[in-house]
């Protein structure tokens, strides 16, 4: 069973950059698309963006100007950077795998809570 | 963005009941809808993809139907472990969007 694991700071200061990495032990990261999703009490589940094995990305327009996602197939991980964070970016962040052929999210990491506060 | 509207937002039911949760899309999404179950403190779990495809390991009491703009998730005979929050999600176009959730509680 494929497992995903998010890692990164749990506390980020306002105006700084939130950086998270998702590791896929055993891979193969190169066979699937990968997304980040966040969940906050105020906004429910929000899709952030996706990256494919070649590094092509699609971002949620609501976050597009602040967002960078990348993939490193040699290390079996992909990453998220969200700049200029505010308290509205406080949420649980999940990395997820796209199911082959459907763009349903079939594998989820356990999630990591990120709080934006000074 | 495609808006996904779930109803009801909460539902009280008893073990053994049959329950149906509906989801309406703001435009036609064919059958590109997926359903998830989330328990407190856990990540969502994919139950059904492409409107009606039951995921491996998901009990057959779960079923999905619909196409176009109107969809439903049905649990035929509620079990104690089914009390959770359920979400629909459209995968027709980016940005992918979710319904606001339906919290299924024990009556």
């Amino acid at each position: 069973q494929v497992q995903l694991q998010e890692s990164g700071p749990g506390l980020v200061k306002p105006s700084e950059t939130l950086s998270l990495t998702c590791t896929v032990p055993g891979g193969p990261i190169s066979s699937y698309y990968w997304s980040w999703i966040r969940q906050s009490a105020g906004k429910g589940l929000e899709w952030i963006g996706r990256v494919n094995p070649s590094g092509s990305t699609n971002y949620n327009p609501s976050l597009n100007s602040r967002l960078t996602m990348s993939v490193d197939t040699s290390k079996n991980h992909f990453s998220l950077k969200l700049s200029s964070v505010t308290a509205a970016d406080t949420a649980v962040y999940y990395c997820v795998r796209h199911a082959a052929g459907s763009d349903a999210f079939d594998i989820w990491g356990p999630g990591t809570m990120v709080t934006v506060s000074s | 963005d495609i808006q996904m509207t779930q109803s009801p937002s909460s539902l009280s039911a008893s073990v053994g009941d049959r329950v149906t949760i509906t989801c309406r899309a703001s435009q036609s999404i064919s059958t590109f809808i997926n359903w998830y179950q989330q328990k407190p403190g856990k990540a969502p779990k994919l139950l059904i993809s492409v409107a009606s495809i039951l995921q491996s390991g998901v009990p057959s009491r779960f079923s999905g139907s619909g196409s176009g703009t109107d969809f439903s998730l049905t649990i035929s005979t509620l079990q104690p472990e089914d009390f959770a929050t359920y979400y629909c999600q459209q995968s027709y176009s980016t940005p992918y969007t979710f319904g606001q959730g339906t919290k299924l509680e024990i009556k």
Side-chain angles (χ1 to χ4, degrees), chain A residues 2-105:
Chain A
V2 176
Q3 293 185 324
L4 309 183
Q5 183 62 59
E6 305 90 353
S7 60
L11 181 64
V12 183
K13 290 182 168 54
S15 80
E16 295 190 343
T17 296
L18 180 162
S19 296
L20 296 174
T21 295
C22 182
T23 302
V24 187
I29 200 168
S30 58
S31 300
Y32 295 91
Y33 281 42
W34 307 90
S35 276
W36 290 94
I37 290 168
R38 67 183 183 181
Q39 185 173 30
S40 61
K43 293 191 73 175
L45 288 161
E46 181 180 27
W47 175 76
I48 296 170
R50 74 178 184 192
V51 61
N52 73 10
S54 65
S56 295
T57 55
N58 288 90
Y59 298 153
N60 192 320
S62 67
L63 300 168
N64 187 60
S65 62
R66 301 192 289 133
L67 192 56
T68 304
M69 292 177 61
S70 60
V71 63
D72 188 333
T73 55
S74 66
K75 295 182 179 178
N76 278 336
H77 74 211
F78 60 102
S79 301
L80 163 74
K81 292 186 188 297
L82 183 65
S83 63
S84 305
V85 297
T86 70
D89 295 310
T90 294
V92 176
Y93 286 74
Y94 296 100
C95 59
V96 302
R97 189 182 81 172
H98 290 232
S102 75
D103 280 334
F105 306 121

Side-chain angles (χ1 to χ4, degrees), chain B residues 69-86:
Chain B
T69 61
D70 294 311
F71 304 90
S72 62
L73 171 71
T74 298
I75 310 172
S76 59
T77 307
L78 271 176
Q79 298 301 302
E81 60 268 29
D82 299 337
F83 292 94
T85 301
Y86 293 84

Side-chain angles (χ1 to χ4, degrees), chain B residues 45-106:
Chain B
K45 172 188 174 183
L46 178 64
L47 298 176
I48 289 172
S49 65
V50 201
S52 61
I53 299 176
L54 197 67
Q55 299 302 292
S56 174
V58 175
S60 59
R61 62 181 179 272
F62 290 90
S63 63
S65 65
S67 66
T69 61
D70 294 311
F71 304 90
S72 62
L73 171 71
T74 298
I75 310 172
S76 59
T77 307
L78 271 176
Q79 298 301 302
E81 60 268 29
D82 299 337
F83 292 94
T85 301
Y86 293 84
Y87 295 93
C88 60
Q89 173 245 333
Q90 63 83 16
S91 52
Y92 180 80
S93 65
T94 59
Y96 304 123
T97 47
F98 292 84
Q100 80 278 16
T102 295
K103 187 172 185 180
L104 180 53
E105 299 175 304
I106 301 174

